[in-house]
Amino acid sequence: VSYDVPSRLEGWHVRHRGAASLEVSDFFLREENLAQPDEGEVLVRTRWLSLDPYLSFAMIGSGDSGASWPVQGRIIGEAVQSRAKNVPVGSTVLGTGQWREWNVLRGADVDVLPGDPHWPSTVHFGVLGASGLTAWVGMTLAAVQPGETILISAATGPVGSVCGQIARERGARVLGIAGGEEKCRLAVSRYGYDDCLDHRLPGLSDRLVAAAQTGIDVLFENVGAPSLDPALSAIVEGGRVILCGLAAHYRTGDPIALTNFRLILRKHLTMRGFAWTEHRDMHPAGRAWLTERLAEGTLAYDETVSTGLPQAAEAYVAMLFGKGLGKHLLQLP
Amino acid sequence: VSYDVPSRLEGWHVRHRGAASLEVSDFFLREENLAQPDEGEVLVRTRWLSLDPYLSFAMIGSGDSGASWPVQGRIIGEAVQSRAKNVPVGSTVLGTGQWREWNVLRGADVDVLPGDPHWPSTVHFGVLGASGLTAWVGMTLAAVQPGETILISAATGPVGSVCGQIARERGARVLGIAGGEEKCRLAVSRYGYDDCLDHRLPGLSDRLVAAAQTGIDVLFENVGAPSLDPALSAIVEGGRVILCGLAAHYRTGDPIALTNFRLILRKHLTMRGFAWTEHRDMHPAGRAWLTERLAEGTLAYDETVSTGLPQAAEAYVAMLFGKGLGKHLLQLP
């Protein structure tokens, strides 16, 4: 295969808006130069972009309205030229690159993917990558015991869907929160949940207290105030909150307002924020568990795929609004 | 001494206002009956009321505007009649009673105070009681290590003032937040603080980051958003937050809004709410430490005393606004 490598190409940028809410119109394409790979670098043709909620932090910036940011996220692509010993030409790599068709990346910063014929490379973004390992590390920190009740928000997201399956295997009663009847149905039928509550229906707080029965022992929070505030009403004294994500608050820098923040004090709760990357000691066991179940075909996961670089901004904002299911990806043809 | 025990007397009540802010005008005196002590009960003449911030939870109620609550808090008084085996007539007792001159209490629910001649009975509300043990338990949970930096809000309050002295003895660098120059000066001169920042001056967040130098390892939070939000800017990755009080939020049921709540996630923090009463295993060591230092005269504490039952509402609200120093008490003549 020979490629026509351009010297100039279009890449996505986003205007910082500080506290204001992120919109499709904040994104724009800008033409820029493509460098030649230097010693130790590789030229990568992008095949997939991972549309990750946490990128919003950088997108909205910190009040410096007017500046802009060249969007960089996790990409999977083909190494078309390589001056890095660890990266053979033609291999599939995962790294952090700009949202554009070509990137020059340092060989030391990319992972060469094994190219297993049994599953698509995109599992390394999701179920065998950050999402799956986040779920594994989170469930390990949650230390959920048989017979305990765990509540997981964003139950059908790329993390929540794996959490449900791990928590079920560990003998917990698994409750979820998701947006819409269809997602709630899938949480129970595919992802190991005993019950899933639709946050779009009224009275979530009362429904949570009822569904929790003797109370929620562990809350695994992916969303923020819309689920955390009512969930705190239903958590037991001495309960644990594992804070994995704040997806509802990534689009803006607005304060996060919680009426039930007081219950952290009054119920003597422990809340712990984490990222999978700070617990590398847990990764081998997590990778083994995930790989084994993926190979057996007993690990359910979903992807929502959009196509074409021009769709990136719309696909990204739709993901933030909870459209689609599982891991959100953009495929470059 | 013979007493004229009334059959009717005035007691303080407070109108619930739900989410609205607590005001002096919400309090009112109402005449009510005084029962005779039954078997197992004692008749107590009130000498001291403890004006504790946590009472506000019950005072503001939970949205059931219009109802009212007979204010009950911790009292110290004299057992004038006793039908309880554990309470001799004439002894000084600490229990929970209404804010009025007389209460009939169950003997099983009161502590008979030792009547040590070396210190006033009010130390059992404060430095040898709930405040001192809260500080001890909190510092034990904080597990502050030599060389670590701890930040304590409400630095000169009844809890913070003891925390500062414990943390200093444990070799930590001790930073405080307090309201006004005078309190900040006392924090350093009396309570073991290395430095204390005045939250009434502008730019608290920047001043905290500067004072923290390499960052705050442990935040001991007594106040809520006004100190917690800026302190989260200055805390280290993997830092600990011990949540002891939310004094800024007791007067209302309004949501607690934190811009930096996100940092619990991004800095992988652990936040733990506690009350001294759930850690009884720590009390003997705490009592021993506090008693020893009190006997030596090396434990600094302060009391703010108001006089006369009619002053109770004003004294209580003034305490909530941070007037005065240390433990707030009302003395009945």
Side-chain angles (χ1 to χ4, degrees):
Chain A
V1 187
S2 94
Y3 291 95
D4 186 17
V5 182
S7 59
R8 287 182 66 77
L9 77 179
E10 283 195 316
W12 281 103
H13 291 242
V14 64
R15 268 174 218 94
H16 287 327
R17 307 222 307 168
S21 167
L22 193 68
E23 309 286 353
V24 173
S25 58
D26 298 326
F27 292 81
F28 61 98
L29 282 162
R30 174 187 285 171
E31 203 177 271
E32 47 207 358
N33 292 325
L34 179 66
Q36 297 290 316
D38 234 328
E39 187 56 38
E41 294 182 333
V42 293
L43 175 68
V44 177
R45 180 167 196 167
T46 310
R47 295 298 181 197
W48 298 93
L49 303 182
S50 182
L51 306 177
D52 291 316
Y54 71 82
L55 295 177
S56 309
F57 283 127
M59 288 175 178
I60 64 170
S62 51
D64 45 349
S65 214
S68 72
W69 183 66
V71 183
Q72 294 188 53
R74 293 185 304 145
I75 65 169
I76 288 174
E78 186 187 344
V80 169
Q81 298 172 16
S82 177
R83 298 182 65 189
K85 288 199 191 98
N86 65 316
V87 185
V89 169
S91 60
T92 301
V93 300
L94 189 157
T96 297
Q98 281 183 250
W99 281 10
R100 57 188 200 183
E101 198 182 345
W102 298 89
N103 277 283
V104 173
L105 305 178
R106 289 183 51 211
D109 294 341
V110 304
D111 290 323
V112 177
L113 298 181
D116 189 296
H118 298 302
W119 43 67
S121 62
T122 53
V123 296
H124 297 285
F125 279 149
V127 75
L128 280 194
S131 319
L133 286 171
T134 295
W136 179 267
V137 169
M139 288 301 101
T140 305
L141 295 174
V144 61
Q145 302 298 314
E148 285 193 324
T149 297
I150 185 169
L151 174 68
I152 300 165
S153 59
T156 62
V159 174
S161 56
V162 179
C163 286
Q165 295 173 78
I166 297 172
R168 185 182 196 86
E169 186 180 279
R170 295 190 181 174
R173 195 162 67 96
V174 190
L175 304 180
I177 302 177
E181 198 181 332
E182 171 67 4
K183 285 187 179 176
C184 286
R185 199 183 56 71
L186 282 168
V188 173
S189 64
R190 268 176 81 69
Y191 300 137
Y193 287 80
D194 291 288
D195 195 3
C196 184
L197 306 180
D198 183 354
H199 66 72
R200 294 183 186 163
L201 301 179
L204 179 60
S205 191
D206 291 343
R207 286 184 289 130
L208 270 176
V209 169
Q213 299 172 10
T214 56
I216 293 162
D217 298 291
V218 180
L219 167 64
F220 190 87
E221 185 56 62
N222 285 306
V223 173
S227 49
L228 178 55
D229 218 12
L232 288 170
S233 302
I235 201 165
V236 299
E237 185 132 340
R240 295 103 77 194
V241 180
I242 303 293
L243 188 60
C244 176
L246 288 166
H249 307 285
Y250 293 155
R251 287 180 65 236
T252 83
D254 292 344
I256 297 177
L258 297 163
T259 298
N260 289 328
F261 186 88
R262 309 163 155 76
L263 297 181
I264 299 172
L265 174 59
R266 296 183 69 182
K267 291 186 178 177
H268 316 142
L269 308 181
T270 301
M271 176 181 289
R272 177 170 188 174
F274 83 101
W276 66 289
T277 46
E278 38 142 12
H279 297 280
R280 297 194 183 275
D281 56 312
M282 301 177 188
H283 293 186
R287 281 191 209 281
W289 189 91
L290 294 160
T291 306
E292 188 183 320
R293 273 156 196 76
L294 198 63
E296 287 173 2
T298 55
L299 185 63
Y301 70 98
D302 285 288
E303 294 177 341
T304 295
V305 177
S306 306
T307 306
L309 192 63
Q311 297 306 310
E314 269 184 49
Y316 188 80
V317 173
M319 178 276 301
L320 285 184
F321 275 102
K323 307 275 168 61
L325 198 69
K327 183 93 204 88
H328 285 245
L329 304 167
L330 189 92
Q331 182 167 32
L332 274 68
Chain B
V1 187
S2 94
Y3 291 96
D4 186 16
V5 181
S7 59
R8 287 181 67 76
L9 78 178
E10 283 195 319
W12 280 103
H13 292 242
V14 63
R15 268 174 218 94
H16 286 328
R17 306 221 307 169
S21 167
L22 193 67
E23 308 286 354
V24 173
S25 58
D26 298 326
F27 292 81
F28 61 97
L29 283 162
R30 174 187 285 171
E31 203 178 271
E32 47 207 358
N33 292 326
L34 179 66
Q36 296 291 315
D38 234 327
E39 187 56 38
E41 293 183 333
V42 293
L43 175 68
V44 176
R45 180 168 196 167
T46 310
R47 295 298 182 198
W48 297 94
L49 304 181
S50 181
L51 306 178
D52 291 316
Y54 70 82
L55 295 177
S56 310
F57 283 128
M59 288 176 177
I60 64 170
S62 50
D64 44 350
S65 213
S68 73
W69 182 65
V71 183
Q72 293 188 52
R74 293 185 304 145
I75 65 170
I76 288 174
E78 186 188 342
V80 169
Q81 297 172 17
S82 178
R83 298 182 64 190
K85 288 197 190 99
N86 65 315
V87 185
V89 169
S91 60
T92 301
V93 299
L94 189 157
T96 297
Q98 280 183 249
W99 281 10
R100 57 188 202 183
E101 199 183 343
W102 298 89
N103 277 284
V104 172
L105 305 179
R106 289 184 51 212
D109 295 341
V110 304
D111 290 323
V112 177
L113 298 180
D116 188 296
H118 298 302
W119 42 67
S121 62
T122 54
V123 296
H124 297 285
F125 279 148
V127 75
L128 280 194
S131 320
L133 286 172
T134 295
W136 179 267
V137 168
M139 287 300 103
T140 305
L141 296 174
V144 62
Q145 302 298 313
E148 285 193 323
T149 296
I150 185 169
L151 174 68
I152 300 165
S153 58
T156 62
V159 174
S161 56
V162 179
C163 286
Q165 296 172 79
I166 298 172
R168 185 182 197 85
E169 187 180 280
R170 296 191 180 173
R173 196 162 67 95
V174 191
L175 304 180
I177 301 177
E181 199 182 332
E182 171 66 4
K183 286 187 179 177
C184 286
R185 200 183 56 71
L186 282 169
V188 173
S189 64
R190 267 175 81 71
Y191 300 138
Y193 287 80
D194 291 287
D195 195 4
C196 185
L197 306 180
D198 183 354
H199 66 72
R200 293 182 187 164
L201 301 179
L204 179 59
S205 190
D206 291 344
R207 286 185 288 130
L208 270 176
V209 169
Q213 299 172 9
T214 56
I216 293 160
D217 299 291
V218 180
L219 167 64
F220 190 87
E221 185 55 63
N222 285 307
V223 173
S227 49
L228 178 55
D229 219 12
L232 288 171
S233 302
I235 200 165
V236 299
E237 186 131 340
R240 295 103 76 195
V241 180
I242 304 292
L243 188 61
C244 176
L246 289 167
H249 307 286
Y250 293 156
R251 286 180 66 235
T252 82
D254 291 345
I256 297 177
L258 296 163
T259 298
N260 289 328
F261 186 88
R262 308 164 157 75
L263 297 182
I264 299 172
L265 174 59
R266 296 182 70 182
K267 290 185 177 177
H268 316 142
L269 308 181
T270 301
M271 176 180 288
R272 177 171 188 173
F274 83 100
W276 67 289
T277 47
E278 38 142 12
H279 298 280
R280 297 195 182 274
D281 55 314
M282 301 178 189
H283 293 186
R287 281 190 208 281
W289 189 92
L290 294 160
T291 306
E292 189 183 319
R293 272 152 197 78
L294 199 63
E296 287 172 1
T298 55
L299 186 64
Y301 70 97
D302 285 288
E303 293 178 342
T304 295
V305 177
S306 307
T307 306
L309 192 63
Q311 297 307 310
E314 268 183 50
Y316 188 80
V317 173
M319 178 276 301
L320 285 184
F321 276 101
K323 307 275 168 58
L325 198 69
K327 182 93 205 92
H328 285 246
L329 304 167
L330 189 93
Q331 181 167 33
L332 275 69

